[in-house]
Amino acid sequence: MTTIPAPRVVDVELDQAWTYLSDIQHGGRLLELVAGVALRGSRHPHPLATTAHFLAAPALGGAEVHVEPLRAGRSASTVHARLVQNGRAMLDTVITAGQLGPAGVPAHLAGHPPHLPPLERCVRSVMPAGQPRNGLLEQLDLRVDPATVGVASDVPEVAGWLRYADGRDVDPLALLCLADALPPVTFALGLPGWVPTLELTVHVRALPAPGWLRTVQRAQLMQDGWLDETSEIWDSEDRLVAQGHQLAAFRG
Amino acid sequence: MTTIPAPRVVDVELDQAWTYLSDIQHGGRLLELVAGVALRGSRHPHPLATTAHFLAAPALGGAEVHVEPLRAGRSASTVHARLVQNGRAMLDTVITAGQLGPAGVPAHLAGHPPHLPPLERCVRSVMPAGQPRNGLLEQLDLRVDPATVGVASDVPEVAGWLRYADGRDVDPLALLCLADALPPVTFALGLPGWVPTLELTVHVRALPAPGWLRTVQRAQLMQDGWLDETSEIWDSEDRLVAQGHQLAAFRG
């Protein structure tokens, strides 16, 4: 006997604000959208641990988010949400959410914000003239460390300054998108091909302070066409506010 | 209109082989069980990227695994699986699976197997006399580096040698369990409390070679009652075969 209730279905519209190439939605932004629908009205509004598997690229236009609450606990709740278009699952995500307050003193912290050149010596990422637009680079002001892209490096690492282009504050939901905002680490190696994400997990660890964020993305192992990418986002008060882990495909 | 089919339901039995305390199932082992059911008969048998959210502790006895295929691609398939007991969701997992072959030369690899003392200088983990049994420590031969547990350290890191107690080989599915086999890093800090996992993601990167595995687990940030743990498993040929990432709760 199964008492799990039928999912709640919410209509959404996929527009061009964050698309690239032939109207492909940015994966992290899609996750932010679906998670936002899933957590609407929840007493645990902050996505502490969000896991997402990317199944297919949805088309522009209408789609549905199917929301299934799985657990409502005292300090955390878990919800399953699926983006569906024309009856087909496009993105499947599970979110364990909680309520973040002002962050306390870490009991332990390893690492530090990426060492970046000053803002004015970093390069705002834009698409080259004649290339198709990339909505992400319109929505975000991403200033990549020139030492990490554009030069053929042997270190799969990219890093940069990051904020919304209109200067608005970043909330915890937005970190789901921003944890996937940097170009793939393969670009640092001079590999120009597409790097589709199969799976992305984001841990949101603190409420981000206003101001510029710093972000870095690294790969540990690239082998047999698969690579992992770990991203970190640090806020203007040197707090680690988000950690991303993904598995993606690449061509060597 | 939704064309996603109803889940296939498979009956499973939860026994005491891997339980601890009052018949609590080991989380990683539970994940291995559910993923094994989900991937049975799949042409993509290896769990490349598995994400799991732990919802409640199931009781001993009968339970159901609800399996929903989400995508069947050429090089990877994705399946959603849920452990259900008495109509209640206990564990929710999504698995993107593929087919691993003999691993090629890494295009990039950062890091190395943990530096461990020789096997005979590591300590086989057993429960102290008078303590309740822990099935994991019966099923596995886990030889923890004495420098990383039992002494109050200020580094949240544990490491050790690992294999099945009966010496049988480890397959890719078993890595879902073994990525969660070490004691929590809080033990290295002298914090004895329970560290329940909310979410665990495992990336399986290669077929493990026969022989002893080496594993290490580290935390980057412990703050406000939440900690992340990253684990690595390296095989006897110095290949990185699995990476785990989890978010767990702790008491400081």
Side-chain angles (χ1 to χ4, degrees):
Chain A
M1 180 204 64
T2 298
T3 56
I4 300 168
R8 174 169 61 93
V9 176
V10 179
D11 290 319
V12 293
E13 190 71 20
L14 305 178
D15 65 21
Q16 288 192 296
W18 292 75
T19 57
Y20 63 100
L21 293 176
S22 5
D23 294 332
I24 298 174
Q25 299 285 328
H26 177 257
R29 175 62 181 188
L30 213 50
L31 181 55
E32 177 189 351
L33 172 76
V34 173
V37 170
L39 296 180
R40 200 176 290 160
S42 168
R43 70 189 184 93
H44 290 127
H46 300 141
L48 302 180
T50 301
T51 57
H53 293 251
F54 295 88
L55 307 169
L60 287 175
E64 296 169 349
V65 179
H66 296 203
V67 179
E68 262 183 308
L70 295 178
R71 179 190 53 174
R74 193 179 45 80
S75 61
S77 299
T78 303
V79 58
H80 174 247
R82 183 175 290 167
L83 183 71
V84 176
Q85 196 175 51
N86 299 322
R88 191 172 164 209
M90 299 284 161
L91 168 65
D92 197 275
T93 182
V94 184
I95 306 149
T96 291
Q99 169 81 55
L100 294 167
V105 176
H108 170 79
L109 172 63
H112 49 72
H115 297 300
L116 298 173
L119 255 176
E120 60 277 10
R121 300 230 315 277
C122 290
V123 183
R124 178 156 182 187
S125 292
V126 293
M127 291 306 285
Q131 293 289 309
R133 66 179 275 281
N134 184 336
L136 178 112
L137 302 181
E138 298 167 1
Q139 300 294 330
L140 300 179
D141 187 348
L142 174 61
R143 311 275 182 104
V144 172
D145 180 349
T148 65
V149 286
V151 291
S153 163
D154 58 356
V155 180
E157 176 174 324
V158 289
W161 298 90
L162 182 64
R163 66 169 183 178
Y164 280 118
D166 64 9
R168 74 180 186 275
D169 289 339
V170 167
D171 63 24
L173 262 178
L175 293 172
L176 301 183
C177 172
L178 300 187
D180 187 36
L182 283 170
V185 296
T186 49
F187 285 22
L189 305 182
L191 302 172
W194 192 40
V195 180
T197 300
L198 277 80
E199 180 272 321
L200 170 65
T201 295
V202 182
H203 295 165
V204 170
R205 306 302 302 273
L207 300 172
W212 284 92
L213 301 169
R214 283 156 295 171
T215 181
V216 58
Q217 181 155 267
R218 302 179 181 97
Q220 181 175 21
L221 176 62
M222 301 173 58
Q223 182 177 273
D224 301 330
W226 308 106
L227 86 161
D228 58 273
E229 290 184 307
T230 292
S231 65
E232 298 173 0
I233 302 179
W234 299 76
D235 75 5
S236 58
E237 294 176 359
D238 288 352
R239 284 197 180 273
L240 178 60
V241 295
Q243 299 158 299
H245 299 288
Q246 64 176 273
L247 189 74
F250 79 104
R251 292 193 175 196
Chain B
M1 181 204 64
T2 298
T3 58
I4 301 168
R8 174 168 60 93
V9 176
V10 178
D11 289 319
V12 294
E13 190 71 21
L14 306 178
D15 66 20
Q16 288 192 297
W18 292 76
T19 56
Y20 62 100
L21 292 176
S22 5
D23 293 332
I24 298 175
Q25 299 285 327
H26 176 257
R29 175 61 181 188
L30 212 50
L31 180 55
E32 177 189 351
L33 172 76
V34 173
V37 170
L39 296 179
R40 201 177 289 161
S42 169
R43 68 190 187 93
H44 290 128
H46 300 142
L48 303 179
T50 301
T51 57
H53 293 250
F54 293 88
L55 306 169
L60 287 176
E64 296 169 348
V65 179
H66 295 203
V67 179
E68 262 184 308
L70 294 178
R71 178 189 55 172
R74 192 177 48 77
S75 61
S77 299
T78 303
V79 58
H80 173 245
R82 184 175 289 165
L83 183 72
V84 176
Q85 196 175 54
N86 299 323
R88 188 170 166 212
M90 298 284 161
L91 167 65
D92 196 276
T93 180
V94 185
I95 306 150
T96 290
Q99 170 80 55
L100 294 167
V105 177
H108 170 79
L109 173 62
H112 49 72
H115 298 299
L116 298 173
L119 256 176
E120 61 276 11
R121 298 229 317 274
C122 289
V123 183
R124 178 158 181 185
S125 292
V126 293
M127 292 304 288
Q131 293 288 310
R133 66 179 275 280
N134 184 336
L136 179 111
L137 301 181
E138 298 167 0
Q139 300 293 331
L140 300 179
D141 187 348
L142 174 61
R143 309 275 183 102
V144 172
D145 180 349
T148 65
V149 286
V151 291
S153 163
D154 57 357
V155 181
E157 177 174 324
V158 290
W161 298 90
L162 182 64
R163 67 170 183 177
Y164 281 117
D166 63 8
R168 72 181 187 275
D169 289 339
V170 167
D171 63 23
L173 263 177
L175 293 172
L176 301 182
C177 171
L178 300 187
D180 186 36
L182 283 170
V185 296
T186 48
F187 284 22
L189 305 182
L191 302 171
W194 192 38
V195 180
T197 300
L198 277 80
E199 180 271 321
L200 169 65
T201 295
V202 182
H203 295 165
V204 171
R205 306 304 302 276
L207 301 173
W212 283 92
L213 302 168
R214 284 155 295 172
T215 182
V216 58
Q217 181 155 267
R218 302 178 181 97
Q220 181 175 22
L221 177 61
M222 301 173 57
Q223 182 177 273
D224 300 330
W226 308 106
L227 86 159
D228 59 273
E229 290 183 306
T230 291
S231 65
E232 297 173 1
I233 301 179
W234 299 76
D235 74 5
S236 57
E237 296 176 358
D238 287 353
R239 285 198 180 274
L240 179 60
V241 294
Q243 299 158 299
H245 299 288
Q246 63 175 272
L247 190 74
F250 79 104
R251 293 194 175 196

